[in-house]
Amino acid sequence: MTLRLGDLAPNFQAETSQGKIDFYEYLGDGWGVLFSHPADYTPVCTTELGTVAKLKDEFEKRNTKVLALSVDGLESHKGWISDINETQNTEVNFPIIADEDKKVSELYDMIHPNSNENFTVRSVFIIGNDKKIKLIITYPASTGRNFEELLRVIDSLQLTANYSVATPANWKHGEDVVIAPAIKDEDIPGKFPKGHKVIKPYLRTTPQPNL
Ligand code: BEZ
């Protein structure tokens, strides 16, 4: 299934390392990150899952649940999780889907047959609290993802959802943001009481509004 930004994230039920879940129930009214891994017991994936486990507080602060997937089975996941805990000095604290029948991988188009017929690529979906897809990125199997970047994108998406702002290139939490073009100049002082700069009529910035 081809999914695009703005589409409703399809719901599913799946077996995971933490029991059977319904995706929508798991997300509740928060945000979500669904990310796939080529296979269990592989080196890059091991470091990725350890990294995500260590970022638990950061995802929680953003009211965001994480959910991993690989096409290996539950027994394999269990053994691999204890390796991850041991080698990455952490505890995997989120579910990993055991997608042996590839139901979820196919639903989210995570298998790219010209890359590999049997395994998922490294897909990432960020899902908003309206259950719509806000971001899709696809990495090759050989490149571990930058999860700090995913947190940065969640910060940006949540700012956009709550205020009429966007974030400029390389923006980081705490830096000025861009006022949405739809906001009229005369409405800016009321909406952005911390002040603003007009660099060009179409490029107006303001301090990050939620600090
Ligand atoms: C890995 O996770 O280390 C990996 C998986 C598939 C291909 C290459 C690397």
Side-chain angles (χ1 to χ4, degrees), residues 137-170:
I137 24 181
T138 309
Y139 287 69
S142 52
T143 305
R145 284 159 282 202
N146 182 333
F147 291 92
E148 298 285 352
E149 167 63 2
L150 292 185
L151 291 170
R152 191 188 77 90
V153 176
I154 294 168
D155 283 342
S156 169
L157 287 165
Q158 293 185 345
L159 273 176
T160 301
N162 295 319
Y163 304 89
S164 301
V165 296
T167 56
N170 291 344

Side-chain angles (χ1 to χ4, degrees), residues 37-39 41-46 48 80 116 119-120 122 140-143:
H37 294 273
Y41 295 102
T42 49
V44 176
C45 299
T46 300
E48 285 196 320
W80 184 39
N116 189 304
F119 300 122
T120 56
R122 292 186 202 282
S142 52
T143 305

Side-chain angles (χ1 to χ4, degrees), residues 23-182:
F23 187 43
Y24 278 15
E25 274 175 25
Y26 176 67
L27 295 178
D29 56 10
W31 290 61
V33 177
L34 173 66
F35 60 114
S36 59
H37 294 273
D40 292 3
Y41 295 102
T42 49
V44 176
C45 299
T46 300
T47 62
E48 285 196 320
L49 292 192
T51 299
V52 172
K54 288 177 193 162
L55 290 172
K56 179 183 176 23
D57 291 350
E58 294 301 321
F59 285 107
E60 271 179 11
K61 264 192 236 165
R62 293 162 177 83
N63 192 22
T64 300
K65 296 259 183 71
V66 296
L67 180 57
L69 173 150
S70 101
V71 295
D72 291 314
L74 275 185
E75 278 312 305
S76 164
H77 282 4
K78 277 187 197 151
W80 184 39
I81 285 169
S82 68
D83 278 8
I84 297 167
N85 293 345
E86 178 196 327
T87 61
Q88 309 302 303
N89 300 314
T90 188
E91 215 158 283
V92 173
N93 40 34
F94 52 88
I96 307 175
I97 298 172
D99 195 36
E100 281 183 292
D101 60 4
K102 303 193 171 90
K103 193 180 79 178
V104 180
S105 314
E106 279 166 9
L107 189 61
Y108 277 79
D109 198 21
M110 291 164 164
I111 296 175
H112 297 198
N114 290 329
S115 172
N116 189 304
E117 274 188 20
N118 299 315
F119 300 122
T120 56
V121 290
R122 292 186 202 282
S123 298
V124 185
F125 293 83
I126 295 182
I127 292 142
N129 56 358
D130 55 3
K131 305 284 185 295
K132 292 201 174 146
I133 296 173
K134 307 293 182 189
L135 166 140
I136 303 173
I137 24 181
T138 309
Y139 287 69
S142 52
T143 305
R145 284 159 282 202
N146 182 333
F147 291 92
E148 298 285 352
E149 167 63 2
L150 292 185
L151 291 170
R152 191 188 77 90
V153 176
I154 294 168
D155 283 342
S156 169
L157 287 165
Q158 293 185 345
L159 273 176
T160 301
N162 295 319
Y163 304 89
S164 301
V165 296
T167 56
N170 291 344
W171 172 85
K172 287 194 290 302
H173 183 76
E175 295 178 354
D176 285 0
V177 298
V178 168
I179 298 170

